[in-house]
Amino acid sequence: MAPAPDQSPSQGQSVNSAPAAIELRGISKAFGPVQANRDISLTVAKGTIHGIIGENGAGKSTLMSILYGFYKPDSGEILINGRPVSIPDSQAAIRAGIGMVFQHFKLVQNFTVLENVILGAEDGPLLRPSLRRARGELQRLAKEYELNVDPDEVIEELSVGHQQRVEILKALYRQADILILDEPTGVLTPAEADHLFRILRGLKEQGKTIVLITHKLREIMEITDNVSVMRRGEMVAHFRTRETSPAELAEAMVGRKVLLRVEKSPATPGAPVLEVRNLRLIDNDKVERLRGIDLNIRAGEILGVAGVSGNGQTQLLELLGGYPEPGSKVSGEVLVNGQSLDLTGARSDAGTRRKRGIGHVPEDRQVEGLIMDFTAWENCVFGYQDAPEFSNGPMQDRVAIRADAAGKIERFDIRPPNPELAARNFSGGNQQKIVVAREIERNPDLLLIGQPTRGVDIGAIEFIHKRIVALRDAGKAVLLVSVELDEIMSLSDRIAVMFDGRIMGERLPAETTAQELGLLMAGVAEPPADADNLPEAGIPPAQKHVENLPGEPA
Ligand code: ADP
Ligand code: MG
């Protein structure tokens, strides 16, 4: 094993002979029967941004947790700045100059930013003089790295993006030279992610070394210098980012060629399936979430709704799917196959919608799409359990339901292929496949689908996209809501952009650009002449409080 810990936080750099910031040699780690890391070697050069990419479960977090002293490797060596170190705990990692920003932040929610930053740092949290010094240091760091946060703000009052900045500050305050970020953009809006990347570039310019774990190819291409690919516990490839491509990385991640762009023929739209007219919704907090939505989708057509989350897309999907937030006020008209849909009455529930041929893959699969404690086979039929093929007289036909679930598990490659497992024991991507399988295989006339591939691996994304296109090609209508502009651009036959509860405009994918859509997403219908004065895309609009819908007595 490695010799005693290296106590010095960092050492001077000499440009030519600088040792690697991090060198891992032959790291292995098993959790029971699962070989999470197998003989991993990795070299991260000083002052670079190094991406580690791989599908869910590839072993990325385990490897970085070993580097941060959370897990002890079964074998292998770690060198920091050329010196062998042993990292038995996170204090040792900090002494070695390593900081980590976890997927799930480890901040104390009812403490201030300042208190969180100094918590556990050398000089003890509650000494006044040290508090003053810490405040000064925090302000200096925040300024130097564009990490604007108020030191006296309580953590629970901060947005996720700001909480993440506090985590970064915390690491910098401990004089981290190496910063590891585990899937940092999963919880961020596009604008917050852009800001994070600016921060990371700034850190690199100051000579810091950054390890960025992600499964998003675009982030790797955008910001890293080098990238290492993990698959099923092994390190399978290393690339210089500018010498590789998304297609090559995807193939290395998945182990086979992956289509990153959906292949589809032009749409041949038929009769209108969904017609939405002047749809309005005021939620329980008296915020007007839908402010007069008009849209149409024809048979054999995918309408993509683009927008930064929080602009009414969620309410639109929930309302059409039959479960608006209780207490919401709704007005307007919705026709499905030419027949009016009951929006507020006794027949406005999700069950009736399903019987009308409306399938729904909700944005939040864990809350609305699945019953987490129920088995996979039960979830595969959830909502459709009363259908004739699943009933045996007044009884449920469990044999038929189980057989149906087994088919879905096979066709959608749901892993592990165990129908008796509770939904909560599947990974996010496989949970999503359960919901998508259930809704698509019902062959609905209208499929409402929100964030279809959030948290889903690349291989499964390709598969889910193909199934959505196949449904369209079978003459069905699809309403797709996604915050991933790439997904909207590649799947949609038409794109509607939502901002502040309204449709800002509709575009054809072939006739628009990400820039134009980005402007619409920020609420700008026509590019203004003064291009310097653009609003920052991605900022959700201010909430407006209203009591009554138009035409309703006050
Ligand atoms: P990634 O971060 O690439 O998604 P992880 O490193 O989290 O992958 O997981 C790699 C494998 O190790 C997975 O199969 C996961 O289920 C397993 N694993 C990770 N942490 C633990 C743990 N604490 N106990 C048991 N198994 C674990
Ligand atoms: Mg992980």
Side-chain angles (χ1 to χ4, degrees), residues 11 20 36 77 110 115 117 120 153 158 205 217 221 230 248 254 263 272 325 353 367 371 439 462 497:
Q11 59 182 41
E77 257 192 297
N110 56 352
E115 286 163 344
V117 166
E153 192 89 63
L158 295 177
E205 276 164 25
L217 293 166
M221 299 308 293
M230 292 187 73
E248 188 175 37
V254 181
E263 280 185 343
E325 183 188 286
R353 296 285 158 82
V367 174
I371 304 180
E439 299 299 327
E462 176 193 29
V497 181

Side-chain angles (χ1 to χ4, degrees), residues 31 34 36 54-63 71 182:
F31 297 105
V34 179
E55 296 203 296
N56 293 320
K60 307 180 295 292
S61 295
T62 300
L63 187 64
Y71 296 134
D182 193 352

Side-chain angles (χ1 to χ4, degrees), residues 329-348:
K329 292 182 180 182
V330 177
S331 72
E333 190 181 18
V334 177
L335 303 178
V336 173
N337 290 325
Q339 306 241 310
S340 167
L341 206 64
D342 182 2
L343 289 176
T344 52
R347 298 174 56 76
S348 64

Side-chain angles (χ1 to χ4, degrees), residues 22-43:
I22 305 169
E23 191 179 344
L24 303 179
R25 294 182 186 160
I27 298 277
S28 292
K29 174 75 186 170
F31 297 105
V34 179
Q35 192 70 44
N37 286 166
R38 189 191 305 272
D39 194 19
I40 303 274
S41 294
L42 172 70
T43 303

Side-chain angles (χ1 to χ4, degrees), residues 1 32 135 177 220 288 296 305 327 334 353 364 429 475:
M1 256 323 279
R135 179 186 298 273
D177 246 357
I220 292 289
E288 192 172 21
N296 299 296
V305 175
V334 177
R353 296 285 158 82
D364 188 342

Side-chain angles (χ1 to χ4, degrees), residues 157-177:
E157 303 291 322
L158 295 177
S159 70
V160 171
H162 280 82
Q163 292 192 25
Q164 190 175 62
R165 291 182 204 172
V166 177
E167 287 280 16
I168 296 173
L169 277 170
K170 210 173 149 174
L172 296 175
Y173 184 79
R174 286 159 178 68
Q175 301 183 325
D177 246 357

Side-chain angles (χ1 to χ4, degrees), residues 498-510:
M498 237 176 131
F499 172 76
D500 196 13
R502 293 200 171 102
I503 302 292
M504 286 298 294
E506 273 194 24
R507 297 288 185 274
L508 295 174

